Amino acid sequence: MSLNLINPHLKFGAGGGSYTLYLDETLWFGGLSAWPGLTVQSTTQQFNGSDYTTASQTWTTKTAANTAKYLAGSCGSAGSSQGAGALFVTGSTTYGPDTRSTDLQFYKNGTWTTKAAASVAIMLNQSAGTGEGSMLNMGGSSATSGYETRVDSYDYSSNAWTAQTGLSQGRYYSGAGGSSFDSAICMGGWGNSPVAAKNNVDSYDGSSWTNLSGLPTAISHNASGDGTPDSAINLAGYTGAGDVNLNSTFDGTSWTSQSALPSAARTTCLCAGNQDNAIQAGGSGQVICQTWDLSSTTWTTQGNISVGVSGTGGGGNG
């Protein structure tokens, strides 16, 4: 996710892998600023609220990333207390045309560090896991395939990448979540055969993928998701016919349609959390931020993010 100058337009957000959400660990970084600037961003904000039902909690500006990117994967958290840091994974470093990147950035406690480059330059990917643990990078678009099945893991302790079992359905603009590379979930996305939004939901155990109950609605364009294979949330996105504000939660067995996002329909917003509690920001020209509480099945409006961007990233797991 990202910020710089105040701009009221944000879309194409991405969610990071999460298992326990500490609201004040949530990050927003990177992205492409909206019209008229269309500038690839590197700036970073952290949410400084801690209550899902108290309104108008705000965001604080942090150190900019070493590399400006958008359409990138992201996962992890700020790392200031409970968290183990965040990862800003591959993506595009330019707009018009895009430049796919192998770049990997790590954030913790206000500092960004460049880590080992991925083996393949890729964008429109999704990532799940933690900063100082392990991360799974899945799908996306490379120079050789617009609908990647490619999956790679990254281990922080060894600063190394490892090829993993590929997705059964090549796709990009999917939702993803998970606590580590061997406990991850991939939701929806835009795939081929035929070219359309997908409702595929698959979990990864470190060696193989398992097909889970499909999303209630086929959805793509980073149908922004988060959580774990037994507690996930999937928000908003694009059906192929238009943007939607759908909200679906997953308990490991089945999906349940919940209260829709109250603001205007958007694609690819940031989402961090799981079926019980989540935070959402931006998407389709919006700067609005909202928190979800399953116990009351309600959304609460929080303070806006500071810049409208597309292809943003972030995370919020502790």
Side-chain angles (χ1 to χ4, degrees):
M1 297 161 298
S2 184
L3 67 115
N4 211 341
L5 300 175
I6 296 175
N7 184 317
H9 303 286
L10 176 92
K11 63 188 295 187
F12 300 147
S18 180
Y19 49 98
T20 300
L21 177 65
Y22 300 92
L23 274 176
D24 59 1
E25 290 286 322
T26 303
L27 286 174
W28 172 70
F29 47 77
L32 181 73
S33 61
W35 292 99
L38 295 177
T39 301
V40 180
Q41 299 288 306
S42 62
T43 40
T44 303
Q45 277 194 319
Q46 181 176 347
F47 191 67
N48 63 10
S50 59
D51 189 333
Y52 298 96
T53 58
T54 298
S56 301
Q57 299 172 101
T58 58
W59 295 81
T60 302
T61 301
K62 298 295 182 179
T63 306
N66 294 335
T67 304
K69 297 187 292 183
Y70 83 120
L71 301 176
S74 58
C75 62
S77 62
S80 56
S81 55
Q82 306 289 341
L87 292 169
F88 193 13
V89 189
T90 62
S92 177
T93 58
T94 64
Y95 170 78
D98 289 312
T99 302
R100 294 172 176 85
S101 174
T102 60
D103 178 75
L104 178 64
Q105 298 290 316
F106 172 73
Y107 178 93
K108 186 173 182 181
N109 298 337
T111 300
W112 287 94
T113 305
T114 301
K115 309 300 286 187
S119 57
V120 174
I122 201 163
M123 66 182 190
L124 297 168
N125 48 292
Q126 274 285 18
S127 305
T130 59
E132 287 183 325
S134 63
M135 174 271 295
L136 197 70
N137 196 39
M138 61 200 88
S141 171
S142 68
T144 57
S145 175
Y147 303 97
E148 277 286 349
T149 60
R150 185 182 183 90
V151 175
D152 297 278
S153 64
Y154 171 78
D155 178 70
Y156 179 85
S157 61
S158 61
N159 190 31
W161 290 84
T162 302
Q164 299 290 337
T165 304
L167 293 161
S168 61
Q169 168 73 58
R171 56 196 191 266
Y172 60 86
Y173 272 141
S174 59
S179 56
S180 61
F181 94 96
D182 56 359
S183 179
I185 185 170
C186 183
M187 300 167 277
W190 194 259
N192 58 3
S193 302
V195 175
K198 306 297 181 182
N199 74 340
N200 303 50
V201 177
D202 303 282
S203 65
Y204 191 65
D205 63 5
S207 61
S208 62
W209 289 92
T210 299
N211 182 249
L212 303 176
S213 298
L215 293 167
T217 301
I219 202 165
S220 74
H221 287 65
N222 284 36
S224 189
D226 211 342
T228 59
D230 60 359
S231 179
I233 187 168
N234 196 69
L235 297 175
Y238 178 68
T239 63
D243 298 354
V244 292
N245 266 3
L246 299 176
N247 170 19
S248 302
T249 57
F250 186 64
D251 62 6
T253 302
S254 60
W255 289 89
T256 301
S257 296
Q258 304 286 359
S259 302
L261 287 163
S263 60
R266 83 288 308 281
T267 57
T268 61
C269 53
L270 158 72
C271 175
N274 56 33
Q275 66 169 344
D276 297 314
N277 294 110
I279 183 169
Q280 173 276 323
S284 293
Q286 306 292 319
V287 293
I288 195 168
C289 171
Q290 298 160 114
T291 49
W292 162 254
D293 178 55
L294 180 63
S295 65
S296 59
T297 63
T298 58
W299 288 94
T300 301
T301 300
Q302 305 296 347
N304 289 346
I305 52 177
S306 61
V307 176
V309 294
S310 62
T312 185
N317 58 301

